[in-house]
Amino acid sequence: MSRARHSDRPDRQRSVRSFLDETDEALRLGARPGARVWPTGFDLLDTTFGGGLRSGELILLAGTEGAGKTTFAMQVLRNAVVAGRHAVIFSFELTAASLIQRLLGLEAAAAADLADDPMMPAADVRAFRAVLEAEDPDRRGLGSAMRGLAFGMEALMTIERYSDRLHVVEANRLTTIAQIASTVAAVADATGEPPIVCVDYLQKIPVDGIEGTADEETRVTFVTETLKELAMELECPVLAISAADRESLGAGHRMRTRDLRGSSALAYEADIVLILQTKLNIVAREHLTYDLNAAKVYRRWVIISVEKNRFGGGQVELEVEKDFEHGRYRPQVRVVSERLIEERVFTS
């Protein structure tokens, strides 16, 4: 999607009367007249967003190293396709094989949760990776390989049920905004509905014509603006993972929107900004001296800061528990009970 394409496209001018008439007709037919909504699958987060992510929205997802940005994004896409929707991820960081191994771990853990048998834990991502990367001299196939892992067959069967609705693009230096737009449009045409889109990550998208000649701020501004235009034109939510400035990644610093790398356009264009940070890194050091077990507990939790929410409440602090061994967060979300003081989290 080039700048020229957007500048040549006429504005979608319409009267308020036409909008009211269209809305009235949709309601009389029992259809949804407003934006389409994609629940994230994280209950309190969806409550914060009024049901989920909406068509036309640009959602920025940032966070410190090890906070699980890709894990979170993949889980949101997985939850969408489980609910019957379509999704596309453009991955500049991980291969399709790596993402699928994470999905297998997630689905195995979900199956184990339903079984509720503490004596039979689910196989983790490393176990799936070892099986899928090993030679199979007997050529028994994927099903046989999965049967050897706890909840492996359940995981495989679940993924097979939504596999046609989840699309993975191993992105590279040729995966421009135009290519992203073309792929998303093709999925929408083939499936009859726009997919939820994830880009991992925004700063790696190449820009035709200015690549190598413009500074990072110019490139990030262009990419951010055109991703927002893509979301509006194709009527889909776009979840873009964003890198942060290195100095904002250290323990004791509470990352904010201003710490995102490249451009102030990130803050202005985004409808939602989410920042993930390992809880231990933003808990006051002096508090930990009073509880020797606190560090171990806090290390397993990630705080989700809703830094911006254009159509709802911002500055919301939620937390989720890591289960990265199975390529996921545990689905239960809770409100952070600690109070925020001077860029740190202090317990009361």
Side-chain angles (χ1 to χ4, degrees), residues 200-213:
D200 186 10
Y201 58 91
L202 180 150
Q203 282 82 359
K204 281 205 167 184
I205 298 176
V207 179
D208 285 339
I210 65 173
E211 193 69 26
T213 64

Side-chain angles (χ1 to χ4, degrees), residues 304-324:
I304 305 175
S305 298
V306 182
E307 289 282 299
K308 179 182 180 181
N309 183 8
R310 195 187 297 275
F311 305 110
Q315 300 303 315
V316 177
E317 310 293 338
L318 305 173
E319 60 183 15
V320 287
E321 187 177 6
K322 297 177 183 179
D323 184 16
F324 291 175

Side-chain angles (χ1 to χ4, degrees), residues 173-241:
R173 61 183 179 82
L174 300 179
T175 312
T176 62
I177 288 284
Q179 184 61 48
I180 290 172
S182 176
T183 300
V184 174
V187 171
D189 289 343
T191 62
E193 67 169 22
I196 182 172
V197 178
C198 176
V199 177
D200 186 10
Y201 58 91
L202 180 150
Q203 282 82 359
K204 281 205 167 184
I205 298 176
V207 179
D208 285 339
I210 65 173
E211 193 69 26
T213 64
D215 58 27
E216 183 173 51
E217 182 173 353
T218 300
R219 290 187 289 106
V220 170
T221 296
F222 176 85
V223 168
T224 305
E225 290 176 349
T226 48
L227 282 178
K228 173 60 180 176
E229 291 174 8
L230 184 153
M232 295 181 66
E233 183 173 332
L234 298 182
E235 299 182 339
C236 62
V238 175
L239 175 61
I241 297 176

